[in-house]
């Protein structure tokens, strides 16, 4: 990093090429988390980048570049727009994966990137359960399939980090593991989640989430349906009973994972 004095802002008449060059060289500072994201993406994706990367490198791409909270919301929404896959959603998966596997990204944000990957991979199922028997509005099956496959392809690398990840990210990884079950990952999931089950009793957000993930890992449709009915009746927004069981289960798991994330954020706001 340069040791020269860096002006806090550019002259009012700076624009175009000058502004982009100032951003590239670090003379314009965005929020700290944007700078971290930019460093990670520049290192891990040095070639042609997905279109959503413009929010990291082009100040004109984000009117709220100076605010961490607005930046994160806009950046994630550019990848999964209002929980709906678009043609470039699959491209944005590469950005989320790079951020999720880099220890320069704080744990809270690694958690968020993995959760967003879960939501991308389950868009079609979750919307089907919510809208059944109607067709989900704004559905784009082609974009959904490409995005889901993109998440599937990166999931083994994410799960390989389990041993070095913090507990919160492990919770998110468990969601991906049951979305893309394999004969290798599912048997390993039960003992890996047992510690969470021992520490968080049934009836708590984390406790219910972990136990439900274990039910899904067992791949028993009858037990899954029973768990969905029991949990939605007790706590969560229900879905039509005639909707496919897997769709209802992933809809419920998505609600639970979001709530777990909200609680983790409140308990560790400075993470």
């Amino acid at each position: 990093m340069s040791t020269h004095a860096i002006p806090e802002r550019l002259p009012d008449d700076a624009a175009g090429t000058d502004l982009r060059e100032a951003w590239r060289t670090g003379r314009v500072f965005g929020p700290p988390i944007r700078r971290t994201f930019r460093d990670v993406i520049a290192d891990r994706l040095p070639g042609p980048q997905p279109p959503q990367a413009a929010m990291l490198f082009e100040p004109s791409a984000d009117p709220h570049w100076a605010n961490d909270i607005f930046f994160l919301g806009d950046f994630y929404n550019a990848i999964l727009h209002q929980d709906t896959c678009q043609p470039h959603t699959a491209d944005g998966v590469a950005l989320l994966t790079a951020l999720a596997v880099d220890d320069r990204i704080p744990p809270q944000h690694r958690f968020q990137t993995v959760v967003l990957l879960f939501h991308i991979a389950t868009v079609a199922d979750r919307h089907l359960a919510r809208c059944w028997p109607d067709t989900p509005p704004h559905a784009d099956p082609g974009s959904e399939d490409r995005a889901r496959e993109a998440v599937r392809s990166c999931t083994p690398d994410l799960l390989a980090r389990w041993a070095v990840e913090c507990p919160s990210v492990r919770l998110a990884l468990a969601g991906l593991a049951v979305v893309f079950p394999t004969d290798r990952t599912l048997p390993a999931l039960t003992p890996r989640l047992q510690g969470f089950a021992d520490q968080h009793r049934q009836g708590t957000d984390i406790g219910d989430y972990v136990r439900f993930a274990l039910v899904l890992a067992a791949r028993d449709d009858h037990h899954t349906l029973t768990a969905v009915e029991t949990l939605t009746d007790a706590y969560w927004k229900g879905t039509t009973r005639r909707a496919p069981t897997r769709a209802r289960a992933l809809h419920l798991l998505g609600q639970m994972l979001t709530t777990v994330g909200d609680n983790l954020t409140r308990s560790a706001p400075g993470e």
Side-chain angles (χ1 to χ4, degrees), residues 27 55 77 91 126 142-143 164 175 211 225 254 260:
R27 289 193 291 120
M55 296 186 67
N77 192 55
D91 299 327
R126 291 184 296 104
S143 294
V164 299
R211 288 168 176 80
L225 180 60
V260 167

Coordinates of all heavy atoms in Angstrom, one line a residue, residues 27 55 77 91 126 142-143 164 175 211 225 254 260:
R27 N -7.1 6.1 -4.6 CA -7.3 7.5 -4.2 C -8.7 7.8 -3.8 O -8.9 8.8 -3.1 CB -6.8 8.4 -5.2 CG -5.3 8.4 -5.4 CD -4.8 9.6 -6.3 NE -5.2 9.5 -7.7 CZ -6.0 10.4 -8.3 NH1 -6.4 11.4 -7.6 NH2 -6.3 10.2 -9.6
M55 N -19.6 -3.1 -9.2 CA -19.9 -2.3 -8.0 C -18.7 -2.3 -7.1 O -18.7 -1.5 -6.1 CB -21.1 -3.0 -7.3 CG -22.4 -2.9 -8.1 SD -23.8 -3.5 -7.1 CE -23.9 -2.3 -5.9
N77 N -28.1 -7.7 -4.1 CA -29.3 -7.7 -4.9 C -29.0 -7.7 -6.4 O -29.8 -8.1 -7.2 CB -30.1 -6.4 -4.6 CG -31.5 -6.4 -5.2 OD1 -32.3 -7.3 -5.0 ND2 -31.8 -5.4 -6.0
D91 N -23.5 -16.0 -13.2 CA -22.2 -15.4 -13.2 C -21.8 -14.8 -11.9 O -20.6 -14.9 -11.5 CB -22.2 -14.2 -14.2 CG -22.5 -14.6 -15.6 OD1 -22.2 -15.7 -16.0 OD2 -23.2 -13.8 -16.4
R126 N -38.3 -23.0 -3.5 CA -39.0 -22.1 -2.5 C -40.1 -21.4 -3.1 O -41.2 -21.3 -2.4 CB -37.9 -21.2 -1.9 CG -36.9 -21.9 -1.0 CD -35.9 -20.9 -0.4 NE -35.1 -20.1 -1.3 CZ -35.3 -18.8 -1.7 NH1 -36.3 -18.2 -1.1 NH2 -34.5 -18.2 -2.5
G142 N -34.7 -21.0 -17.0 CA -33.4 -21.2 -17.6 C -32.3 -20.5 -16.7 O -31.3 -21.2 -16.4
S143 N -32.6 -19.3 -16.2 CA -31.7 -18.7 -15.3 C -31.6 -19.4 -14.0 O -30.5 -19.5 -13.4 CB -32.1 -17.2 -15.1 OG -32.0 -16.5 -16.3
V164 N -12.0 -25.7 9.1 CA -11.4 -24.4 9.4 C -12.4 -23.3 9.6 O -12.0 -22.1 9.9 CB -10.4 -24.0 8.3 CG1 -9.3 -25.1 8.3 CG2 -11.0 -23.8 7.0
G175 N -26.8 -26.1 5.3 CA -27.9 -25.9 4.3 C -27.5 -26.3 2.9 O -28.3 -27.0 2.2
R211 N -31.6 -29.5 13.8 CA -32.3 -30.8 13.8 C -33.1 -31.0 12.5 O -33.2 -32.1 12.0 CB -33.2 -30.8 15.0 CG -32.5 -31.0 16.4 CD -33.3 -30.8 17.6 NE -32.6 -31.1 18.8 CZ -31.7 -30.2 19.4 NH1 -31.5 -29.0 18.8 NH2 -31.1 -30.6 20.5
L225 N -41.7 -34.8 5.8 CA -43.0 -34.2 5.8 C -43.5 -33.9 7.2 O -44.1 -32.9 7.5 CB -44.0 -35.1 5.1 CG -45.4 -34.6 4.9 CD1 -45.5 -33.2 4.2 CD2 -46.3 -35.6 4.2
G254 N -35.0 -22.3 4.3 CA -34.6 -20.9 4.0 C -35.1 -19.9 5.0 O -34.3 -19.0 5.4
V260 N -31.8 -17.5 11.7 CA -30.5 -17.8 12.4 C -29.5 -16.7 12.1 O -28.8 -16.2 13.0 CB -29.9 -19.2 12.0 CG1 -28.5 -19.3 12.5 CG2 -30.8 -20.3 12.6

